[in-house]
Amino acid sequence: MRDERKTWIKSVRGGPSRYAEWEACGLRWLGEGSAAGGARVVEVLDSDSDGLVLERLVPVAPTVEAAEEFGSALAATHSAGAPAWGAPPEGWDGPGWFGPADRPLPLELGAWSSWGEMYAVRLASLTRLARDGGELTADEARDVDALGARCAAGEFDTGEAPSRIHGDLWSGNLMWTADGVVLIDPAAHGGHREADLAMLDLFGAPHLERIHTAYDEVRPLQDGWRDRVGLHQLYPVLVHAVLFGGGYARQAMGIVARL
């Protein structure tokens, strides 16, 4: 791989053989929206099976102005759309992954007819892993499965078309630079735009309410979206339960109980 000044090499050794390609494809797909006002995405300069060569980003302190600009840009990225619920980035023909590069979990991709059907499949996959690993009891797994069945039945569908989402938009995947917020480390696919906002809320993000306000001004959020934040957070929390155990399983079951 090319190594030049002002670049950063991200190693993915220890992960799936095509993980670097998956991430590079997602970054480029998200980056297609930048020219139309979408969020800026870190530039992929090169990649191979060991990792990626990316433009080097110099972090600065978050500002209100950058947060508002990012909120507006994220709405434009989402509006770039996707061909189906669960659709992979354009040009990708393999499995998807979600989580740390050295130990990601499978992210089911496909072409579901509704968000709820897609989400039910993904919850079921994680529930099996958590039950088999001892993070969830059999009764807890049944409760998650029951929620998944409600999703599959369309109870939480909002009637929107799939958006082009980052897919793993926790605050650590926002780089605050002198030129504004830059997206890194995606699990990009056709998904629900509320999922990206819920991920930002999961571990907290600087000036989050300013991001929300600016987003809503460009692409208004549907009524009740705040009530669905926990629903969208359930997937990443279950991923954390499978990978790290600890209190994440209790957090997941708290979400299920509230729903």
Side-chain angles (χ1 to χ4, degrees), residues 6-29:
K6 297 184 179 179
T7 65
W8 180 68
I9 298 177
K10 177 180 178 178
S11 174
V12 296
R13 293 177 183 175
S17 61
R18 297 186 65 197
Y19 187 87
E21 185 183 351
W22 153 254
E23 184 170 313
C25 196
L27 287 169
R28 293 184 178 113
W29 189 57

Side-chain angles (χ1 to χ4, degrees), residues 155-248:
E155 181 174 338
F156 302 101
D157 284 322
T158 60
E160 292 194 355
S163 293
R164 185 171 306 200
I165 70 169
H166 179 283
D168 191 9
L169 199 61
W170 71 290
S171 60
N173 286 339
L174 303 185
M175 290 292 292
W176 300 78
T177 77
D179 296 322
V181 173
V182 182
L183 301 180
I184 63 172
D185 298 356
H189 64 278
H192 204 302
R193 60 190 180 124
E194 291 177 4
D196 272 353
L197 297 174
M199 279 292 294
L200 284 175
D201 184 78
L202 183 56
F203 298 112
H207 310 300
L208 183 58
E209 283 305 313
R210 295 296 189 101
I211 294 174
H212 287 164
T213 299
Y215 184 106
D216 192 60
E217 289 175 352
V218 173
R219 188 177 175 188
L221 291 155
Q222 291 193 327
D223 291 344
W225 73 271
R226 291 184 185 274
D227 297 330
R228 293 185 291 272
V229 167
L231 178 63
H232 291 291
Q233 289 177 342
L234 181 57
Y235 180 85
V237 172
L238 281 173
V239 168
H240 278 70
V242 171
L243 292 177
F244 308 116
Y248 289 112

